[in-house]
Amino acid sequence: MGRLTPPACLCCGTKKDFTLSKGKDAPAGQSDENSERGNWSSKTDYLLSMVGYAVGLGNVWRFPYLTYQNGGGAFLIPYTVMLALAGLPLFFLECSLGQFASLGPVSVWRILPILQGVGITMVVITALVTVYYNVIIAYALYYLFASFQSVLPWSDCFAWADENCSKTPVVRDCNTTLADGTVIHTNYSFVSSNNLTCLNGTSTYKEVQPPSEQYWNKVALRRSGGLDETGEIVWYLALCLLLSWVIVGAALFKGIKSSGKVVYFTAVFPYVVLVILLVRGATLEGARDGIEYYIGTQSNITKLMEGEVWKDAATQIFFSLSVAWGGLVALSSYNKFHNNCYSDAIAVCLVNCITSVFAGFAIFSVLGHMAFLADRPVSEVVDSGFDLAFVAYPSALSKLPVAPLWSFLFFFMLLLLGLDSQFASIETVTTTIQDMYPKVMKKMRVPVTLGLCTLLFFLGLLCVTQAGIYWVNLVDHFCAGWGILFAAVLEIMGISWIYGGNRFIQDIEMMIGKKSWWFWLWWRACWFFITPVLLCVILCWSLVAFSPPKYGSVEYPAWGTAVGWCMIVFCIIWIPIVAIVKIVKAQGNLWQRIVSCCRPAANWGPFLECHRGERYSHMVDPHKERDQEIPTVDGFVHKLQ
């Protein structure tokens, strides 16, 4: 049974995007092909949002370190191979899936009802990650504000420092020659008080911490001794967290219509900053040494024989492209039906990877200068993650002329990189709500969006306590790891093996036009075999190599690890729960029920009737039951059925 009054469709079977000319008094959204859900105002809005989502903090603070660690320039070989074999196939699949059905990451599983729990898992993990991801943005905001000082507060050991703080290495003891020619081993205080000198190569050094490290731990975080020492809320971080959520809420109050405009700045300006940092870094003494450490003067090709290198390349590609988080499906669901998602997927993936490589030059040129000033090897100042973003790189910037300017630019770049990814993550959650309760979201999008941001802000307050960094690390260790890999494996296996890769290709051709058999040869090989196998290998490797979480030298208590396991179980338990619910609600014997749940739902297909053609002429209209205005628990359960 079809809907008597189908959603407005401004297209009539054509493969060209139809644009309705608007007069001055035309209402907003009148040119949308899909008037019920809305579409991107322009393709540029979509592409910049996708680039902003895919290009995040990991491109700046993880990829350069992995390249250096895994053979320099030689690492680009496995990185490119893994892009072609694992990253791009899954990226293209998710973009096509969302665009074809015009549905978010949960409702899109009408394609395979038994695996709808995979979509719920993606959204739950995304929601948990947004809690701590905005805390990282709050860190960047704090350092951004701290940069508005003539002398950067982490440039030296000020009043907050302890006796272990030092800008230079401190000799503890060494061999020295007395006046009578006797060589003795003594402490450095004796050497200096008697105007003696240490013999070359005999010095042992005291363990000291640079000012930037102590500032990060003692001032910015006010870090406690462990997860079980919660302490108090760090008020200035809480205010920065509140500000970051205000920015996110303001950018998303009209959904993609507002966020699609914000990304014109937030997605583009980080590239301006990267260029500025690279140009400035390249003019510094020691920059060449840093870049040579990054790409390798003579790349270590033998590293390619190590399995760990290929695992690192595959993992970096997988998480860098943000596949299996639900965001790609959500953002693509607002495309017009005949948008060329194939070229979009390739373009965004290439931009993401090029950005990673480019960022490495900007980072390592400055680190090379830092190593030059300290008269130390570059390897001793290189780090990744929090230690790179908030310790090593700020320390290097503090040594430059006009240091506050460079510090401001760097942390402003981190802020924008984080916000772009956060916009898409929150949009993933709101899109899920919209698919379930479209009438509610149409009338109450602003209250729902602000309510969601408020809830996530309060959940994030735990992460801005004195033990906050331990909670951030805990959630990242468990939720942002193999839980997403598990969802990705089920996603690609379900669509390629159960729904049918060839059937899915026919769906894609309804959007982008008929392609030759040779065109699809590579994609078939990846979707049917190569990508699922690679993801399974990475997943198994991650599980086998699993180690309890720790932050620096601080190990987590047993209950903390247990909480981590509870979080990931809560995320993935929806997969078997929903599958069981679907099977129980189906009709027939057990086998018949399983088979029926492995077939597309009766309302699976293009969102708009004019796009369905003969292949989906039998499709039950997906909007016939959308009369419920107020969401309830019973209504949520009903939506899953």
Side-chain angles (χ1 to χ4, degrees), residues 31 116 135 171 225 239 294 312 368 374 433 466 500 506 520 532 547 577:
S31 63
Q116 191 175 38
V135 173
V171 178
L239 290 179
Y294 170 47
D312 283 346
I433 299 173
Q466 289 179 271
Q506 291 178 332
W520 293 111
S547 58
I577 287 178

Side-chain angles (χ1 to χ4, degrees), residues 185-208:
H185 187 81
T186 184
N187 59 64
Y188 187 71
S189 59
F190 175 83
V191 174
S192 59
S193 62
N194 290 278
N195 294 322
L196 301 174
T197 57
C198 291
L199 299 178
N200 290 336
T202 65
S203 301
T204 58
Y205 293 90
K206 177 183 177 182
E207 290 187 9
V208 295

Side-chain angles (χ1 to χ4, degrees), residues 293-440:
Y293 263 86
Y294 170 47
I295 61 174
T297 307
Q298 296 179 346
S299 296
N300 189 359
I301 299 295
T302 59
K303 277 278 189 179
L304 301 184
M305 303 301 294
E306 300 177 12
E308 188 73 19
V309 173
W310 291 86
K311 191 269 286 186
D312 283 346
T315 303
Q316 176 63 17
I317 276 289
F318 181 83
F319 290 109
S320 175
L321 293 177
S322 301
V323 291
W325 291 85
L328 300 180
V329 175
L331 295 179
S332 298
S333 71
Y334 296 104
N335 277 335
K336 295 182 178 181
F337 187 76
H338 291 299
N339 173 66
N340 191 342
C341 53
Y342 170 74
S343 61
D344 292 348
I346 293 178
V348 173
C349 287
L350 289 178
V351 168
N352 176 75
C353 295
I354 292 173
T355 301
S356 296
V357 176
F358 184 75
F361 286 98
I363 296 297
F364 269 79
S365 60
V366 176
L367 292 181
H369 176 65
M370 179 181 177
F372 171 80
L373 293 179
D375 194 24
R376 296 163 62 191
V378 177
S379 59
E380 293 185 11
V381 300
V382 173
D383 222 319
S384 66
F386 293 116
D387 288 337
L388 171 64
F390 300 108
V391 177
Y393 206 75
S395 178
L397 293 176
S398 69
K399 295 175 172 59
L400 300 180
V402 201
L405 172 63
W406 305 115
S407 179
F408 169 81
L409 287 175
F410 175 70
F411 288 110
F412 191 51
M413 178 187 69
L414 290 188
L415 171 66
L416 297 182
L417 288 173
L419 285 174
D420 281 336
S421 299
Q422 191 75 339
F423 292 160
S425 297
I426 298 300
E427 190 62 48
T428 301
V429 180
T430 56
T431 296
T432 301
I433 299 173
Q434 174 174 309
D435 288 341
M436 298 176 70
Y437 304 104
K439 293 184 179 180
V440 173

Side-chain angles (χ1 to χ4, degrees), residues 52 114 218 244 364 435 441 487 519 521 549 554 556 632:
I114 199 170
K218 291 177 172 292
S244 64
F364 269 79
D435 288 341
M441 286 297 286
F519 177 88
L521 182 61
V554 179
Y556 281 58
T632 63

Side-chain angles (χ1 to χ4, degrees), residues 68-143:
Y68 151 75
Q69 190 180 47
N70 290 302
F75 181 69
L76 297 180
I77 296 175
Y79 185 73
T80 304
V81 171
M82 290 303 171
L83 169 65
L85 297 180
L88 187 54
L90 200 54
F91 195 96
F92 179 35
L93 181 144
E94 291 197 352
C95 292
S96 304
L97 185 64
Q99 180 175 309
F100 179 77
S102 297
L103 293 171
V106 175
S107 296
V108 80
W109 284 97
R110 295 170 183 172
I111 189 174
L112 196 59
I114 199 170
L115 289 182
Q116 191 175 38
V118 172
I120 298 176
T121 292
M122 292 177 179
V123 174
V124 172
I125 292 178
T126 295
L128 285 175
V129 169
T130 57
V131 172
Y132 83 78
Y133 203 80
N134 234 25
V135 173
I136 299 175
I137 296 175
Y139 295 158
L141 276 171
Y142 171 77
Y143 271 81

